[in-house]
Amino acid sequence: MIQIELQKLIIPKGELDAVSYFNAFIQESFRLHLISTEELERFQIQIIGLLSVQFNRYTSGFSSSVSEETAKRIQQSVLYSLGYYFKSLPDVEKGLQELKENSLEELYHRGTKLVEKACVKAKELLKTVQENSLDTEILAYHETLSKGLMMFFKDYETDYGAHETPASIDYPLSCDKMILTGVDYILDYLDKIQIENNICSCYPPEEITSLLKGYDLEYKELLFNIFDLVLTNSVGSLLLERSPFNLNITEYDRQYLQFTLAPLTGEEISERVDQTLDRLCEELVLRKESSLSNQPALCDESSLCNGPAICDSRFIDYIRQFTVNFKTRLIHALAANSLERLFLSSDDTLDTQLICFRDKDSLDDSRFRDISVEIRECRLVSDKIGLLKKDAFSLKDFIDLLEGDCFFDKEFDAVFQTMDQIQLALLMKKLPIHPADSDAHAEDDLKDWHRYFISFLNKMEPEERNRIRLFAKQLSVG
């Protein structure tokens, strides 16, 4: 009977942070009658005892009482260390055995030691990642590796804040487990960025730089993932029966892919992508073997300097995770005949001259307030547009009006239709995400005008939209 109930005790480690994992382990074990009511009460008493000891340590023995906020923080820290230990065990059966045979105090101390060891491992891994970082000028990438992650090791407290993640991480991963916390998240982030770096290092640096410039000439200031762009165009090249290391996909290439892939069913497209990813993995292995022919064997996992080997299961799993999102985006782009939003063209004109745009002076607060009130009081959108044309607004003032409840729903489209290409290009520069980015998670924080403007651009003829996009790339807003 117990064995049957144990088979039902399924708690996905990767989907829960350490605190949630420990709570779920206890709750599910109790629900399945794997621990008794008496045992549950004993665990609760032991937790209270653990907290009392930690409160006393926190106050250096002068008091056993702390503020509610501090008490909650220390409680979460204790549960984190317990959960971290249970997540380290091979299976739930071993976890149940540990729970019954040892006190929570003993398991907590084991968990704390594991957290401390994980911090040492993470620090060593960060050093490795820094030494093998990509040759790129993306500021968020270098700021995260050189400063943001270092903050964690300076401010992390294993005793009273093990569940916290005191780091400034701006550079996004392709597949980020934001649910994780503490050193668990830091290790996961470093492991994944090491994999991304290892893969991207297989590609010619000039190909990556050209692709990034094709994404946006001012890519250095933007927040996006290099791996996603590289792998996307690499898969596109393979679908075109070309070398995956040629990252440039032209408009003609996109038309060809639209012609050949659009008639396929979703299942057929998925199968085609899976086959292509298998080929990509083979090509990457060969590429890495060629570049490391005079170095230790590719699959020697003891070689930390190169990170997970190309044939490592973690490497394959990471590409598979990328594939899930890629398939969805490809199917949607084919259905909308908008592959330019997925496969970007590289910018081979590295010396392209920027056009410097100098904005007008903003209106004084009183004048701006009067105009915004007047626009809100208009019943017809034509009257609102008339007021817009009456004054010469700065770009900043115009965006403030778009964000100031002056326009609603279809009125945005009417406003955008009155604008010329340079005005549309300037607005495109102010979007917080690249217009080619269709990931749902990238759109979570968009303002109303952002959403309506992206929708407006997507309804344009592709040639006109591309002209505005190219114009936006050449504009430098001063």
Side-chain angles (χ1 to χ4, degrees), residues 327-395:
K327 288 177 182 177
T328 301
R329 296 184 65 193
L330 175 59
I331 291 171
H332 287 170
L334 288 169
N337 194 16
S338 58
L339 285 178
E340 72 278 359
R341 299 180 64 190
L342 182 62
F343 299 117
L344 304 178
S345 294
S346 296
D347 188 341
D348 296 319
T349 312
L350 302 184
D351 297 323
T352 301
Q353 293 295 315
L354 294 178
I355 301 171
C356 187
F357 172 78
R358 298 294 177 188
D359 201 6
K360 300 181 181 70
D361 291 333
S362 297
L363 298 174
D364 63 71
D365 292 344
S366 177
R367 176 60 180 154
F368 179 83
R369 185 165 52 251
D370 290 342
I371 291 175
S372 60
V373 169
E374 193 175 357
I375 290 176
R376 290 191 198 102
E377 291 176 347
C378 292
R379 294 178 59 191
L380 300 176
V381 67
S382 57
D383 292 338
K384 294 184 177 184
I385 291 172
L387 289 174
L388 285 178
K389 291 183 176 180
K390 185 177 177 181
D391 285 276
F393 292 99
S394 67
L395 179 61

Side-chain angles (χ1 to χ4, degrees), residues 43-72:
F43 298 149
Q44 291 170 340
I45 292 171
Q46 289 181 14
I47 289 288
I48 293 172
L50 266 173
L51 292 178
S52 179
V53 171
Q54 289 300 94
F55 294 161
N56 194 49
R57 287 186 60 202
Y58 184 80
T59 60
S60 300
F62 291 106
S63 172
S64 60
S65 64
V66 294
S67 68
E68 183 178 348
E69 181 181 352
T70 300
K72 184 176 181 180

Side-chain angles (χ1 to χ4, degrees), residues 231-258:
L231 261 286
T232 295
N233 270 38
S234 187
V235 172
S237 287
L238 278 175
L239 289 170
L240 290 161
E241 299 299 329
R242 291 203 308 243
S243 166
F245 307 107
N246 177 358
L247 299 179
N248 186 30
I249 294 181
T250 66
E251 178 58 28
Y252 174 80
D253 294 332
R254 288 189 285 268
Q255 291 176 13
Y256 175 80
L257 289 173
Q258 181 72 35

Side-chain angles (χ1 to χ4, degrees), residues 211-212 215-216 224-235 247 322 329 342 344:
L211 178 62
L212 299 186
Y215 178 74
D216 195 299
F224 64 96
N225 182 263
I226 302 171
F227 172 86
D228 270 343
L229 294 187
V230 170
L231 261 286
T232 295
N233 270 38
S234 187
V235 172
L247 299 179
F322 160 83
R329 296 184 65 193
L342 182 62
L344 304 178

Side-chain angles (χ1 to χ4, degrees), residues 155-404:
D155 299 330
Y156 188 58
E157 291 185 285
T158 56
D159 286 332
Y160 310 115
H163 62 295
E164 297 173 343
T165 316
S168 177
I169 301 175
D170 292 327
Y171 182 72
L173 294 173
S174 174
C175 305
D176 201 352
K177 283 190 178 178
M178 300 297 290
I179 193 69
L180 300 179
T181 57
V183 71
D184 205 9
Y185 175 76
I186 296 298
L187 272 175
D188 185 74
Y189 183 93
L190 288 169
D191 186 55
K192 287 177 177 176
I193 200 169
Q194 186 182 44
I195 292 173
E196 290 186 6
N197 288 349
N198 201 18
I199 294 172
C200 289
S201 67
C202 294
Y203 293 81
E206 62 275 12
E207 283 286 328
I208 294 180
T209 299
S210 187
L211 178 62
L212 299 186
K213 290 195 173 188
Y215 178 74
D216 195 299
L217 285 177
E218 297 183 6
Y219 69 91
K220 301 173 190 177
E221 309 283 343
L222 301 179
L223 298 179
F224 64 96
N225 182 263
I226 302 171
F227 172 86
D228 270 343
L229 294 187
V230 170
L231 261 286
T232 295
N233 270 38
S234 187
V235 172
S237 287
L238 278 175
L239 289 170
L240 290 161
E241 299 299 329
R242 291 203 308 243
S243 166
F245 307 107
N246 177 358
L247 299 179
N248 186 30
I249 294 181
T250 66
E251 178 58 28
Y252 174 80
D253 294 332
R254 288 189 285 268
Q255 291 176 13
Y256 175 80
L257 289 173
Q258 181 72 35
F259 177 77
T260 56
L261 297 179
L264 303 179
T265 66
E267 186 176 342
E268 289 170 332
I269 292 173
S270 179
E271 185 178 351
R272 180 77 65 89
V273 170
D274 286 337
Q275 293 170 351
T276 302
L277 263 297
D278 288 339
R279 288 170 54 203
L280 176 60
C281 290
E282 293 172 2
E283 292 276 1
L284 289 170
V285 169
L286 292 173
R287 186 83 165 197
K288 204 69 173 179
E289 284 177 341
S290 175
S291 65
L292 301 176
S293 57
N294 296 320
Q295 297 185 29
L298 185 65
C299 293
D300 180 8
E301 294 187 33
S302 66
S303 178
L304 185 61
C305 63
N306 294 311
I310 297 296
C311 53
D312 191 298
S313 61
R314 287 176 295 165
F315 171 97
I316 303 298
D317 289 344
Y318 201 71
I319 288 187
R320 293 298 176 202
Q321 290 178 59
F322 160 83
T323 306
V324 173
N325 183 43
F326 174 80
K327 288 177 182 177
T328 301
R329 296 184 65 193
L330 175 59
I331 291 171
H332 287 170
L334 288 169
N337 194 16
S338 58
L339 285 178
E340 72 278 359
R341 299 180 64 190
L342 182 62
F343 299 117
L344 304 178
S345 294
S346 296
D347 188 341
D348 296 319
T349 312
L350 302 184
D351 297 323
T352 301
Q353 293 295 315
L354 294 178
I355 301 171
C356 187
F357 172 78
R358 298 294 177 188
D359 201 6
K360 300 181 181 70
D361 291 333
S362 297
L363 298 174
D364 63 71
D365 292 344
S366 177
R367 176 60 180 154
F368 179 83
R369 185 165 52 251
D370 290 342
I371 291 175
S372 60
V373 169
E374 193 175 357
I375 290 176
R376 290 191 198 102
E377 291 176 347
C378 292
R379 294 178 59 191
L380 300 176
V381 67
S382 57
D383 292 338
K384 294 184 177 184
I385 291 172
L387 289 174
L388 285 178
K389 291 183 176 180
K390 185 177 177 181
D391 285 276
F393 292 99
S394 67
L395 179 61
K396 180 181 180 302
D397 285 339
F398 181 65
I399 290 176
D400 285 343
L401 289 173
L402 292 178
E403 295 179 0

